[in-house]
Short mmCIF file of all heavy atoms in Angstrom, two decimals:
data_model
loop_
_atom_site.label_atom_id
_atom_site.label_comp_id
_atom_site.label_asym_id
_atom_site.label_seq_id
_atom_site.Cartn_x
_atom_site.Cartn_y
_atom_site.Cartn_z
N MET A 24 0.85 -1.19 0.00
CA MET A 24 0.00 0.00 0.00
C MET A 24 0.89 1.24 0.00
O MET A 24 1.78 1.38 0.82
CB MET A 24 -0.91 -0.04 1.22
CG MET A 24 -2.12 0.84 1.11
SD MET A 24 -3.37 0.20 -0.02
CE MET A 24 -4.48 -0.63 1.12
N LYS A 25 0.60 2.13 -0.92
CA LYS A 25 1.40 3.36 -1.04
C LYS A 25 0.59 4.54 -0.51
O LYS A 25 -0.59 4.65 -0.80
CB LYS A 25 1.73 3.55 -2.52
CG LYS A 25 2.58 4.74 -2.87
CD LYS A 25 2.90 4.69 -4.38
CE LYS A 25 3.43 6.02 -4.87
NZ LYS A 25 3.69 6.04 -6.31
N ARG A 26 1.20 5.40 0.27
CA ARG A 26 0.51 6.60 0.76
C ARG A 26 0.94 7.79 -0.09
O ARG A 26 2.13 8.05 -0.25
CB ARG A 26 0.87 6.86 2.23
CG ARG A 26 0.34 5.81 3.16
CD ARG A 26 0.75 6.13 4.57
NE ARG A 26 -0.19 7.04 5.20
CZ ARG A 26 0.14 7.98 6.07
NH1 ARG A 26 1.40 8.16 6.39
NH2 ARG A 26 -0.77 8.74 6.61
N VAL A 27 -0.07 8.47 -0.62
CA VAL A 27 0.19 9.57 -1.54
C VAL A 27 -0.53 10.83 -1.03
O VAL A 27 -1.72 10.78 -0.74
CB VAL A 27 -0.33 9.22 -2.95
CG1 VAL A 27 -0.08 10.36 -3.93
CG2 VAL A 27 0.31 7.93 -3.45
N PRO A 28 0.18 11.96 -0.92
CA PRO A 28 -0.51 13.18 -0.55
C PRO A 28 -1.47 13.62 -1.67
O PRO A 28 -1.13 13.53 -2.85
CB PRO A 28 0.62 14.20 -0.37
CG PRO A 28 1.88 13.52 -0.68
CD PRO A 28 1.59 12.15 -1.18
N THR A 29 -2.64 14.06 -1.29
CA THR A 29 -3.66 14.43 -2.26
C THR A 29 -4.23 15.79 -1.89
O THR A 29 -4.50 16.05 -0.72
CB THR A 29 -4.79 13.37 -2.23
OG1 THR A 29 -4.18 12.10 -2.45
CG2 THR A 29 -5.81 13.62 -3.33
N VAL A 30 -4.39 16.63 -2.89
CA VAL A 30 -4.90 17.99 -2.66
C VAL A 30 -6.34 18.09 -3.17
O VAL A 30 -6.63 17.72 -4.31
CB VAL A 30 -4.01 19.03 -3.38
CG1 VAL A 30 -4.59 20.44 -3.20
CG2 VAL A 30 -2.58 18.98 -2.88
N GLU A 31 -7.22 18.56 -2.29
CA GLU A 31 -8.60 18.85 -2.71
C GLU A 31 -8.57 20.23 -3.38
O GLU A 31 -8.58 21.26 -2.70
CB GLU A 31 -9.52 18.82 -1.48
CG GLU A 31 -10.96 19.17 -1.78
CD GLU A 31 -11.53 18.33 -2.91
OE1 GLU A 31 -11.56 17.10 -2.78
OE2 GLU A 31 -11.95 18.93 -3.92
N LEU A 32 -8.51 20.22 -4.70
CA LEU A 32 -8.25 21.46 -5.44
C LEU A 32 -9.37 22.48 -5.26
O LEU A 32 -9.12 23.69 -5.32
CB LEU A 32 -8.05 21.15 -6.92
CG LEU A 32 -6.78 20.36 -7.25
CD1 LEU A 32 -6.74 20.02 -8.74
CD2 LEU A 32 -5.53 21.14 -6.85
N SER A 33 -10.58 22.02 -5.04
CA SER A 33 -11.68 22.99 -4.91
C SER A 33 -11.57 23.81 -3.62
O SER A 33 -12.18 24.87 -3.51
CB SER A 33 -13.03 22.27 -4.97
OG SER A 33 -13.11 21.31 -3.95
N ASP A 34 -10.78 23.32 -2.66
CA ASP A 34 -10.59 24.06 -1.41
C ASP A 34 -9.27 24.84 -1.38
O ASP A 34 -9.09 25.72 -0.54
CB ASP A 34 -10.62 23.12 -0.21
CG ASP A 34 -11.99 22.52 0.01
OD1 ASP A 34 -12.98 23.16 -0.39
OD2 ASP A 34 -12.07 21.41 0.56
N CYS A 35 -8.36 24.49 -2.27
CA CYS A 35 -7.03 25.11 -2.26
C CYS A 35 -7.13 26.61 -2.59
O CYS A 35 -7.83 26.99 -3.52
CB CYS A 35 -6.15 24.40 -3.29
SG CYS A 35 -4.56 25.21 -3.59
N VAL A 36 -6.41 27.42 -1.81
CA VAL A 36 -6.44 28.88 -2.04
C VAL A 36 -5.14 29.37 -2.68
O VAL A 36 -4.88 30.57 -2.74
CB VAL A 36 -6.71 29.63 -0.72
CG1 VAL A 36 -8.10 29.31 -0.20
CG2 VAL A 36 -5.66 29.32 0.34
N LEU A 37 -4.34 28.43 -3.17
CA LEU A 37 -3.11 28.76 -3.90
C LEU A 37 -2.19 29.71 -3.11
O LEU A 37 -1.62 30.64 -3.67
CB LEU A 37 -3.44 29.37 -5.27
CG LEU A 37 -3.84 28.36 -6.35
CD1 LEU A 37 -4.22 29.10 -7.63
CD2 LEU A 37 -2.71 27.38 -6.63
N CYS A 38 -2.04 29.42 -1.81
CA CYS A 38 -1.17 30.26 -0.99
C CYS A 38 0.30 29.95 -1.23
O CYS A 38 1.17 30.71 -0.84
CB CYS A 38 -1.50 30.06 0.48
SG CYS A 38 -1.03 28.42 1.08
N GLU A 39 0.57 28.79 -1.83
CA GLU A 39 1.93 28.35 -2.19
C GLU A 39 2.78 27.94 -0.98
O GLU A 39 3.98 27.80 -1.09
CB GLU A 39 2.66 29.40 -3.03
CG GLU A 39 1.91 29.68 -4.33
CD GLU A 39 2.69 30.54 -5.31
OE1 GLU A 39 3.90 30.69 -5.12
OE2 GLU A 39 2.07 31.04 -6.27
N LEU A 40 2.15 27.77 0.18
CA LEU A 40 2.90 27.29 1.34
C LEU A 40 3.48 25.90 1.06
O LEU A 40 4.64 25.63 1.36
CB LEU A 40 1.99 27.26 2.56
CG LEU A 40 2.53 26.69 3.87
CD1 LEU A 40 2.04 27.50 5.03
CD2 LEU A 40 2.18 25.22 4.05
N CYS A 41 2.69 25.04 0.47
CA CYS A 41 3.16 23.67 0.22
C CYS A 41 4.31 23.64 -0.78
O CYS A 41 5.27 22.89 -0.61
CB CYS A 41 2.02 22.78 -0.24
SG CYS A 41 1.13 23.37 -1.70
N THR A 42 4.22 24.48 -1.81
CA THR A 42 5.29 24.48 -2.81
C THR A 42 6.55 25.12 -2.26
O THR A 42 7.65 24.81 -2.71
CB THR A 42 4.83 25.20 -4.09
OG1 THR A 42 4.37 26.51 -3.76
CG2 THR A 42 3.69 24.44 -4.75
N ASP A 43 6.40 26.03 -1.29
CA ASP A 43 7.58 26.62 -0.64
C ASP A 43 8.23 25.64 0.33
O ASP A 43 9.44 25.49 0.36
CB ASP A 43 7.19 27.88 0.15
CG ASP A 43 6.94 29.06 -0.77
OD1 ASP A 43 7.30 28.99 -1.96
OD2 ASP A 43 6.38 30.06 -0.29
N LEU A 44 7.38 24.96 1.14
CA LEU A 44 7.93 24.08 2.18
C LEU A 44 8.43 22.75 1.63
O LEU A 44 9.35 22.16 2.18
CB LEU A 44 6.86 23.80 3.24
CG LEU A 44 6.50 24.89 4.24
CD1 LEU A 44 5.50 24.34 5.25
CD2 LEU A 44 7.75 25.40 4.95
N CYS A 45 7.82 22.28 0.57
CA CYS A 45 8.12 20.93 0.12
C CYS A 45 8.05 20.86 -1.42
O CYS A 45 7.21 20.16 -1.99
CB CYS A 45 7.09 19.99 0.76
SG CYS A 45 7.56 18.28 0.79
N PRO A 46 8.97 21.58 -2.07
CA PRO A 46 8.89 21.70 -3.53
C PRO A 46 9.14 20.39 -4.28
O PRO A 46 8.78 20.29 -5.46
CB PRO A 46 9.97 22.74 -3.86
CG PRO A 46 10.88 22.77 -2.69
CD PRO A 46 10.07 22.36 -1.49
N GLU A 47 9.75 19.42 -3.60
CA GLU A 47 9.97 18.14 -4.30
C GLU A 47 8.67 17.36 -4.45
O GLU A 47 8.58 16.46 -5.28
CB GLU A 47 11.06 17.29 -3.62
CG GLU A 47 10.69 16.70 -2.26
CD GLU A 47 11.02 17.63 -1.11
OE1 GLU A 47 10.92 18.87 -1.28
OE2 GLU A 47 11.37 17.12 -0.03
N VAL A 48 7.67 17.72 -3.66
CA VAL A 48 6.38 17.02 -3.72
C VAL A 48 5.29 17.88 -4.39
O VAL A 48 4.53 17.38 -5.21
CB VAL A 48 5.91 16.60 -2.31
CG1 VAL A 48 4.50 16.01 -2.35
CG2 VAL A 48 6.90 15.60 -1.71
N PHE A 49 5.24 19.15 -4.01
CA PHE A 49 4.14 20.00 -4.47
C PHE A 49 4.65 21.03 -5.47
O PHE A 49 5.62 21.75 -5.18
CB PHE A 49 3.49 20.73 -3.27
CG PHE A 49 2.93 19.80 -2.24
CD1 PHE A 49 3.67 19.45 -1.12
CD2 PHE A 49 1.66 19.25 -2.38
CE1 PHE A 49 3.16 18.58 -0.15
CE2 PHE A 49 1.14 18.39 -1.43
CZ PHE A 49 1.89 18.05 -0.31
N VAL A 50 4.01 21.11 -6.61
CA VAL A 50 4.36 22.10 -7.63
C VAL A 50 3.08 22.76 -8.13
O VAL A 50 1.99 22.20 -8.03
CB VAL A 50 5.12 21.47 -8.82
CG1 VAL A 50 6.47 20.92 -8.40
CG2 VAL A 50 4.30 20.39 -9.49
N ILE A 51 3.25 23.99 -8.63
CA ILE A 51 2.14 24.65 -9.31
C ILE A 51 2.28 24.31 -10.79
O ILE A 51 3.31 24.60 -11.40
CB ILE A 51 2.19 26.18 -9.13
CG1 ILE A 51 2.29 26.56 -7.65
CG2 ILE A 51 1.00 26.84 -9.83
CD1 ILE A 51 1.01 26.68 -6.91
N ASN A 52 1.27 23.72 -11.36
CA ASN A 52 1.39 23.32 -12.77
C ASN A 52 1.00 24.47 -13.69
O ASN A 52 0.63 25.56 -13.25
CB ASN A 52 0.60 22.04 -13.04
CG ASN A 52 -0.90 22.23 -12.95
OD1 ASN A 52 -1.40 23.35 -13.02
ND2 ASN A 52 -1.63 21.14 -12.80
N THR A 53 1.09 24.22 -14.98
CA THR A 53 0.87 25.30 -15.95
C THR A 53 -0.57 25.77 -15.96
O THR A 53 -0.88 26.84 -16.49
CB THR A 53 1.26 24.84 -17.37
OG1 THR A 53 0.58 23.60 -17.62
CG2 THR A 53 2.74 24.64 -17.50
N ASN A 54 -1.48 25.02 -15.38
CA ASN A 54 -2.88 25.46 -15.27
C ASN A 54 -3.15 26.19 -13.96
O ASN A 54 -4.30 26.46 -13.62
CB ASN A 54 -3.82 24.24 -15.36
CG ASN A 54 -3.79 23.61 -16.72
OD1 ASN A 54 -3.70 24.31 -17.72
ND2 ASN A 54 -3.83 22.29 -16.77
N ASP A 55 -2.07 26.50 -13.22
CA ASP A 55 -2.21 27.19 -11.93
C ASP A 55 -2.95 26.36 -10.89
O ASP A 55 -3.76 26.88 -10.12
CB ASP A 55 -2.89 28.56 -12.08
CG ASP A 55 -1.91 29.61 -12.55
OD1 ASP A 55 -0.69 29.37 -12.42
OD2 ASP A 55 -2.35 30.66 -13.04
N TYR A 56 -2.68 25.06 -10.89
CA TYR A 56 -3.18 24.19 -9.83
C TYR A 56 -1.99 23.56 -9.11
O TYR A 56 -0.95 23.33 -9.73
CB TYR A 56 -4.04 23.05 -10.40
CG TYR A 56 -5.38 23.48 -10.91
CD1 TYR A 56 -5.74 23.21 -12.23
CD2 TYR A 56 -6.29 24.12 -10.09
CE1 TYR A 56 -6.98 23.59 -12.72
CE2 TYR A 56 -7.53 24.50 -10.57
CZ TYR A 56 -7.87 24.24 -11.88
OH TYR A 56 -9.09 24.63 -12.36
N VAL A 57 -2.21 23.26 -7.83
CA VAL A 57 -1.18 22.51 -7.12
C VAL A 57 -1.22 21.07 -7.61
O VAL A 57 -2.28 20.46 -7.71
CB VAL A 57 -1.42 22.54 -5.60
CG1 VAL A 57 -0.45 21.61 -4.89
CG2 VAL A 57 -1.27 23.96 -5.07
N GLN A 58 -0.05 20.55 -7.93
CA GLN A 58 0.04 19.18 -8.42
C GLN A 58 1.03 18.42 -7.54
O GLN A 58 2.05 18.97 -7.11
CB GLN A 58 0.55 19.22 -9.87
CG GLN A 58 0.53 17.89 -10.56
CD GLN A 58 0.85 18.06 -12.04
OE1 GLN A 58 0.44 19.03 -12.68
NE2 GLN A 58 1.61 17.14 -12.58
N VAL A 59 0.71 17.18 -7.26
CA VAL A 59 1.60 16.32 -6.47
C VAL A 59 2.49 15.54 -7.43
O VAL A 59 2.00 14.86 -8.33
CB VAL A 59 0.78 15.36 -5.58
CG1 VAL A 59 1.69 14.38 -4.86
CG2 VAL A 59 -0.06 16.14 -4.58
N THR A 60 3.78 15.68 -7.23
CA THR A 60 4.74 14.99 -8.09
C THR A 60 4.64 13.48 -7.86
O THR A 60 4.42 13.03 -6.74
CB THR A 60 6.17 15.47 -7.77
OG1 THR A 60 6.21 16.87 -7.91
CG2 THR A 60 7.19 14.84 -8.69
N ASP A 61 4.77 12.73 -8.93
CA ASP A 61 4.69 11.27 -8.84
C ASP A 61 6.02 10.71 -8.32
O ASP A 61 7.02 10.72 -9.03
CB ASP A 61 4.37 10.71 -10.23
CG ASP A 61 3.96 9.25 -10.17
OD1 ASP A 61 3.62 8.77 -9.07
OD2 ASP A 61 4.01 8.59 -11.22
N LEU A 62 6.03 10.28 -7.07
CA LEU A 62 7.24 9.74 -6.46
C LEU A 62 6.96 8.33 -5.97
O LEU A 62 5.80 7.98 -5.70
CB LEU A 62 7.67 10.59 -5.26
CG LEU A 62 7.99 12.07 -5.51
CD1 LEU A 62 8.25 12.78 -4.19
CD2 LEU A 62 9.19 12.21 -6.43
N ASP A 63 8.01 7.53 -5.82
CA ASP A 63 7.83 6.18 -5.28
C ASP A 63 7.48 6.24 -3.79
O ASP A 63 6.64 5.50 -3.31
CB ASP A 63 9.09 5.34 -5.48
CG ASP A 63 9.23 4.91 -6.93
OD1 ASP A 63 8.20 4.86 -7.65
OD2 ASP A 63 10.37 4.65 -7.36
N THR A 64 8.17 7.13 -3.08
CA THR A 64 7.85 7.34 -1.67
C THR A 64 7.88 8.83 -1.39
O THR A 64 8.60 9.57 -2.07
CB THR A 64 8.86 6.64 -0.73
OG1 THR A 64 10.16 7.12 -1.04
CG2 THR A 64 8.79 5.14 -0.85
N TYR A 65 7.11 9.25 -0.42
CA TYR A 65 7.02 10.67 -0.08
C TYR A 65 7.62 10.91 1.29
O TYR A 65 7.49 10.05 2.18
CB TYR A 65 5.55 11.10 -0.11
CG TYR A 65 4.97 11.04 -1.50
CD1 TYR A 65 4.36 9.88 -1.98
CD2 TYR A 65 5.07 12.14 -2.35
CE1 TYR A 65 3.86 9.82 -3.27
CE2 TYR A 65 4.58 12.10 -3.64
CZ TYR A 65 3.98 10.94 -4.09
OH TYR A 65 3.50 10.87 -5.37
N PRO A 66 8.28 12.06 1.48
CA PRO A 66 8.88 12.36 2.78
C PRO A 66 7.79 12.65 3.81
O PRO A 66 7.20 13.73 3.82
CB PRO A 66 9.73 13.61 2.49
CG PRO A 66 9.11 14.24 1.29
CD PRO A 66 8.46 13.14 0.50
N GLN A 67 7.53 11.67 4.67
CA GLN A 67 6.37 11.73 5.56
C GLN A 67 6.39 12.95 6.48
O GLN A 67 5.39 13.65 6.62
CB GLN A 67 6.31 10.46 6.40
CG GLN A 67 5.25 10.56 7.48
CD GLN A 67 4.55 9.24 7.74
OE1 GLN A 67 4.86 8.22 7.13
NE2 GLN A 67 3.60 9.25 8.61
N ALA A 68 7.54 13.23 7.11
CA ALA A 68 7.58 14.32 8.08
C ALA A 68 7.32 15.66 7.39
O ALA A 68 6.56 16.49 7.91
CB ALA A 68 8.93 14.34 8.78
N GLU A 69 7.94 15.85 6.24
CA GLU A 69 7.75 17.12 5.52
C GLU A 69 6.30 17.28 5.08
O GLU A 69 5.71 18.34 5.21
CB GLU A 69 8.66 17.19 4.29
CG GLU A 69 10.09 17.56 4.61
CD GLU A 69 10.96 16.32 4.76
OE1 GLU A 69 10.41 15.25 5.16
OE2 GLU A 69 12.16 16.41 4.49
N VAL A 70 5.72 16.21 4.54
CA VAL A 70 4.34 16.29 4.07
C VAL A 70 3.40 16.50 5.26
O VAL A 70 2.47 17.31 5.19
CB VAL A 70 3.95 15.03 3.26
CG1 VAL A 70 2.46 15.03 2.95
CG2 VAL A 70 4.76 14.96 1.96
N ASP A 71 3.66 15.83 6.37
CA ASP A 71 2.82 16.02 7.55
C ASP A 71 2.89 17.47 8.03
O ASP A 71 1.88 18.04 8.46
CB ASP A 71 3.25 15.08 8.69
CG ASP A 71 2.69 13.68 8.53
OD1 ASP A 71 1.73 13.51 7.75
OD2 ASP A 71 3.23 12.76 9.16
N ASP A 72 4.07 18.07 7.92
CA ASP A 72 4.23 19.46 8.31
C ASP A 72 3.39 20.37 7.39
O ASP A 72 2.73 21.30 7.85
CB ASP A 72 5.72 19.82 8.21
CG ASP A 72 6.05 21.06 9.00
OD1 ASP A 72 5.49 21.22 10.09
OD2 ASP A 72 6.87 21.87 8.50
N VAL A 73 3.43 20.09 6.10
CA VAL A 73 2.63 20.87 5.15
C VAL A 73 1.14 20.67 5.43
O VAL A 73 0.37 21.65 5.46
CB VAL A 73 2.97 20.46 3.69
CG1 VAL A 73 1.98 21.08 2.72
CG2 VAL A 73 4.39 20.88 3.34
N ILE A 74 0.72 19.44 5.68
CA ILE A 74 -0.69 19.16 5.97
C ILE A 74 -1.14 19.97 7.18
O ILE A 74 -2.22 20.57 7.19
CB ILE A 74 -0.91 17.65 6.22
CG1 ILE A 74 -0.80 16.89 4.89
CG2 ILE A 74 -2.26 17.38 6.89
CD1 ILE A 74 -0.84 15.38 5.03
N LYS A 75 -0.27 20.03 8.19
CA LYS A 75 -0.60 20.74 9.41
C LYS A 75 -0.75 22.24 9.16
O LYS A 75 -1.55 22.92 9.79
CB LYS A 75 0.52 20.50 10.44
CG LYS A 75 0.09 20.60 11.87
CD LYS A 75 1.17 20.05 12.80
CE LYS A 75 2.53 20.70 12.53
NZ LYS A 75 3.63 20.08 13.30
N ASN A 76 0.03 22.77 8.23
CA ASN A 76 0.09 24.22 8.04
C ASN A 76 -0.74 24.73 6.87
O ASN A 76 -0.89 25.95 6.72
CB ASN A 76 1.55 24.66 7.86
CG ASN A 76 2.32 24.57 9.17
OD1 ASN A 76 2.06 25.31 10.10
ND2 ASN A 76 3.24 23.62 9.26
N CYS A 77 -1.27 23.87 6.05
CA CYS A 77 -2.08 24.31 4.91
C CYS A 77 -3.29 25.09 5.44
O CYS A 77 -4.08 24.55 6.22
CB CYS A 77 -2.54 23.09 4.11
SG CYS A 77 -3.86 23.48 2.93
N PRO A 78 -3.43 26.36 5.06
CA PRO A 78 -4.50 27.18 5.64
C PRO A 78 -5.89 26.72 5.22
O PRO A 78 -6.87 27.03 5.91
CB PRO A 78 -4.19 28.59 5.10
CG PRO A 78 -3.40 28.35 3.86
CD PRO A 78 -2.61 27.11 4.10
N ALA A 79 -5.98 26.01 4.13
CA ALA A 79 -7.29 25.54 3.66
C ALA A 79 -7.58 24.12 4.13
O ALA A 79 -8.66 23.58 3.86
CB ALA A 79 -7.35 25.60 2.14
N ASP A 80 -6.61 23.52 4.83
CA ASP A 80 -6.80 22.16 5.34
C ASP A 80 -7.26 21.21 4.24
O ASP A 80 -8.17 20.40 4.43
CB ASP A 80 -7.83 22.22 6.48
CG ASP A 80 -7.68 21.05 7.43
OD1 ASP A 80 -6.61 20.41 7.42
OD2 ASP A 80 -8.64 20.75 8.17
N CYS A 81 -6.62 21.30 3.09
CA CYS A 81 -7.12 20.55 1.92
C CYS A 81 -6.15 19.49 1.41
O CYS A 81 -6.30 19.00 0.29
CB CYS A 81 -7.51 21.51 0.81
SG CYS A 81 -6.14 22.45 0.12
N ILE A 82 -5.15 19.13 2.24
CA ILE A 82 -4.22 18.07 1.84
C ILE A 82 -4.40 16.88 2.77
O ILE A 82 -4.45 17.04 3.99
CB ILE A 82 -2.75 18.53 1.90
CG1 ILE A 82 -2.57 19.86 1.15
CG2 ILE A 82 -1.83 17.46 1.31
CD1 ILE A 82 -1.21 20.50 1.37
N THR A 83 -4.54 15.71 2.20
CA THR A 83 -4.68 14.48 3.00
C THR A 83 -3.78 13.39 2.40
O THR A 83 -3.37 13.47 1.25
CB THR A 83 -6.13 13.96 2.99
OG1 THR A 83 -6.56 13.84 1.63
CG2 THR A 83 -7.06 14.89 3.74
N TRP A 84 -3.52 12.38 3.21
CA TRP A 84 -2.86 11.18 2.70
C TRP A 84 -3.92 10.25 2.12
O TRP A 84 -4.96 10.04 2.75
CB TRP A 84 -2.14 10.44 3.82
CG TRP A 84 -0.88 11.06 4.32
CD1 TRP A 84 -0.70 11.72 5.49
CD2 TRP A 84 0.40 11.04 3.68
NE1 TRP A 84 0.61 12.13 5.62
CE2 TRP A 84 1.31 11.72 4.52
CE3 TRP A 84 0.88 10.52 2.47
CZ2 TRP A 84 2.66 11.89 4.20
CZ3 TRP A 84 2.23 10.69 2.15
CH2 TRP A 84 3.10 11.36 3.00
N GLU A 85 -3.66 9.71 0.97
CA GLU A 85 -4.55 8.67 0.43
C GLU A 85 -3.76 7.40 0.24
O GLU A 85 -2.60 7.41 -0.16
CB GLU A 85 -5.13 9.12 -0.91
CG GLU A 85 -6.24 10.13 -0.72
CD GLU A 85 -7.21 10.18 -1.88
OE1 GLU A 85 -6.96 9.53 -2.91
OE2 GLU A 85 -8.21 10.89 -1.74
N GLU A 86 -4.42 6.30 0.56
CA GLU A 86 -3.78 4.99 0.36
C GLU A 86 -4.06 4.53 -1.06
O GLU A 86 -5.19 4.56 -1.52
CB GLU A 86 -4.39 3.96 1.32
CG GLU A 86 -4.43 4.41 2.77
CD GLU A 86 -3.29 3.83 3.57
OE1 GLU A 86 -2.81 2.75 3.21
OE2 GLU A 86 -2.87 4.49 4.54
N GLN A 87 -3.02 4.12 -1.74
CA GLN A 87 -3.19 3.60 -3.10
C GLN A 87 -2.62 2.20 -3.18
O GLN A 87 -1.58 1.93 -2.60
CB GLN A 87 -2.48 4.50 -4.12
CG GLN A 87 -3.19 5.83 -4.34
CD GLN A 87 -2.55 6.64 -5.45
OE1 GLN A 87 -1.55 6.25 -6.04
NE2 GLN A 87 -3.14 7.78 -5.75
N PRO A 88 -3.27 1.31 -3.88
CA PRO A 88 -2.78 -0.06 -3.98
C PRO A 88 -1.42 -0.13 -4.67
O PRO A 88 -1.13 0.70 -5.50
CB PRO A 88 -3.82 -0.79 -4.82
CG PRO A 88 -4.92 0.16 -5.07
CD PRO A 88 -4.51 1.52 -4.62
S1 SF4 B 106 -0.81 24.89 1.25
FE1 SF4 B 106 -2.90 24.18 0.87
S2 SF4 B 106 -4.01 26.03 0.25
FE2 SF4 B 106 -1.86 26.51 0.09
S3 SF4 B 106 -1.34 26.09 -2.05
FE3 SF4 B 106 -0.89 24.22 -0.88
S4 SF4 B 106 -2.73 22.96 -0.98
FE4 SF4 B 106 -3.29 25.05 -1.61
#
């Protein structure tokens, strides 16, 4: 089971905190949406820190097979 950070885009306010704190995971794509980079594993502590600080509370871990 793989844990992947997921952004609820309809709640995201594009504050760019996630892309500043953890640019290897979160990027702003050419459509001006936050996108999660496809990685084999994600840095749990850094992502948890971003989840805690996201002002829109719109990032969660999702389990993927
Ligand atoms: S920290 Fe949250 S609200 Fe801010 S850009 Fe990232 S996902 Fe959007």
Side-chain angles (χ1 to χ4, degrees):
M24 200 73 97
K25 182 175 165 183
R26 293 180 86 215
V27 179
T29 306
V30 177
E31 177 53 59
L32 293 176
S33 59
D34 292 334
C35 171
V36 295
L37 282 177
C38 69
E39 300 189 15
L40 175 141
C41 56
T42 55
D43 284 347
L44 285 184
C45 199
E47 70 271 34
V48 174
F49 300 96
V50 295
I51 307 274
N52 69 19
T53 51
N54 293 322
D55 280 342
Y56 288 123
V57 173
Q58 187 172 323
V59 175
T60 304
D61 193 17
L62 301 174
D63 285 336
T64 57
Y65 293 90
Q67 172 144 1
E69 281 95 331
V70 172
D71 279 343
D72 199 39
V73 170
I74 288 174
K75 206 168 53 187
N76 288 293
C77 166
D80 204 18
C81 65
I82 309 170
T83 53
W84 286 106
E85 283 204 353
E86 309 261 332
Q87 287 186 357

